[in-house]
Amino acid sequence: MEATSTRFVEGFLKSWGVIMASEIGDKTFLIAAVMAMKHPRKQVFAGAMSALAIMTVLSAAMGWAAPNLISPVYTHYAATALFFVFGLRLLWDVARGSVEPEGDIGEVEKELEMTLRGGQPAPTEARAKGLAASLASLQAAARRVFPAILLQAFTLTFLAEWGDRSQIATIGLATGSDVVGVTLGGTLGHAMCTGAAVLGGKHLAERVDERAVSAVGGVLFLLFGAHSLWVGAPDV
């Protein structure tokens, strides 16, 4: 029982830390900040958080299923390598002074204007084109039940988060940590970041120090990788 509780707390804190370090100032953060300036904050928050919560559950489920399909030893060391790669890459970018925000606040505003004018999801990433087509059909049906702004926030956030570093990190964490702890920690982290974006709006988004956020994220990823090596692969 004590071991289960420890794994839950460990997974919760790791997931919360990764989200807090990687989501502040990213594309989903900017989308929520810009939309909240012009539309009801409650609808923007509800739409964005629904997308992020679903994405967190899906990512954690993928990570939980991976050791059941592949050897737990392989998934453990693959996740460990992933943490080191992310951490070193972030710190290398900080050292070189090449940290760039995932999206410019002005670019996001233009994307949102085009989206709300045309009624279609913005082409945020090439990787999400097929997903955008599927979401468009679901969105058309959902408009009969939910407010349009809530659906726009949901769609844009879901597309921006698909394939994002935090999603991949969540999958990696769930391969070796308590899946419920990872899910709840990640969801809380997303709620805090999205809430800050909605309440702080454009002024907060423009004041985010990308280098500081990247440095903290890089150190966290390295610590998680070192901890994963220290604990070792689970017994098969």
Side-chain angles (χ1 to χ4, degrees), residues 82-170:
L82 194 67
F83 293 142
F84 278 115
V85 169
F86 281 165
L88 291 173
R89 175 62 185 274
L90 285 171
L91 294 180
W92 176 250
D93 288 343
V94 171
R96 294 179 58 197
S98 58
V99 176
E100 296 180 358
E102 292 189 25
D104 179 76
I105 191 77
E107 293 176 0
V108 172
E109 286 186 284
K110 290 179 182 178
E111 277 189 14
L112 290 176
E113 287 179 6
M114 293 177 61
T115 301
L116 296 175
R117 191 182 306 133
Q120 296 296 327
T124 54
E125 300 285 350
R127 63 175 180 248
K129 285 183 179 179
L131 187 62
S134 300
L135 286 176
S137 59
L138 292 175
Q139 188 183 45
R143 281 198 186 113
R144 302 175 184 177
V145 181
F146 300 104
I149 296 303
L150 187 152
L151 293 176
Q152 292 287 353
F154 176 92
T155 304
L156 289 169
T157 302
F158 197 92
L159 294 177
E161 186 67 12
W162 187 262
D164 187 68
R165 181 174 60 237
S166 61
Q167 184 200 18
I168 298 173
T170 301

Side-chain angles (χ1 to χ4, degrees), residues 149 180 206 213:
I149 296 303
V180 177
E206 289 177 336
V213 172

Side-chain angles (χ1 to χ4, degrees), residues 28-54:
T28 56
F29 184 93
L30 296 179
I31 288 172
V34 173
M35 288 194 71
M37 292 169 54
K38 304 177 182 178
H39 305 289
R41 291 178 175 177
K42 291 182 179 179
Q43 291 187 26
V44 173
F45 180 81
M49 263 313 300
S50 297
L52 293 169
I54 291 174

